[in-house]
Amino acid sequence: SLKPAEATGGAGGSAGGTFRVTEAHTVLRFVCGELPGLAAWYPTDPRRRARVDEYLDWHLRRFGPHCARLLSNAVYLRLRDGQA
């Protein structure tokens, strides 16, 4: 089951017990490695997997800073307006 991870405040996953992973891309890689039939999402072939990793890294580099700014502004505005 997926549960929030306190370590980074990001999305987290738990395989049961005490093993936890954080960060969306890490959760994707972990779940695809644990569950059968998900090779279309995260291939086992090293070249195809490298293309998926390339996109995930691009996605994080391109959108990560903007998303963080958007979310922090939304939180700031709620706090400022007394809605938090």
Side-chain angles (χ1 to χ4, degrees), residues 37-58:
L38 295 180
W41 289 96
Y42 198 62
T44 56
D45 174 67
R47 289 177 183 250
R48 293 183 67 209
R49 182 176 280 195
R51 290 296 180 203
V52 173
D53 287 336
E54 182 178 46
Y55 172 78
L56 293 174
D57 293 340
W58 172 84

Side-chain angles (χ1 to χ4, degrees), residues 19-80:
F19 180 73
R20 298 173 73 89
V21 292
T22 61
E23 304 306 325
H25 296 158
T26 305
V27 171
L28 169 73
R29 291 177 184 113
F30 173 75
V31 169
C32 288
E34 289 290 309
L35 300 176
L38 295 180
W41 289 96
Y42 198 62
T44 56
D45 174 67
R47 289 177 183 250
R48 293 183 67 209
R49 182 176 280 195
R51 290 296 180 203
V52 173
D53 287 336
E54 182 178 46
Y55 172 78
L56 293 174
D57 293 340
W58 172 84
H59 179 268
L60 182 63
R61 186 184 75 239
R62 176 73 176 104
F63 296 108
H66 302 292
C67 291
R69 192 175 317 122
L70 177 68
L71 291 173
S72 65
N73 285 341
V75 170
Y76 167 74
L77 292 174
R78 285 180 158 256
L79 289 172
R80 186 194 71 185

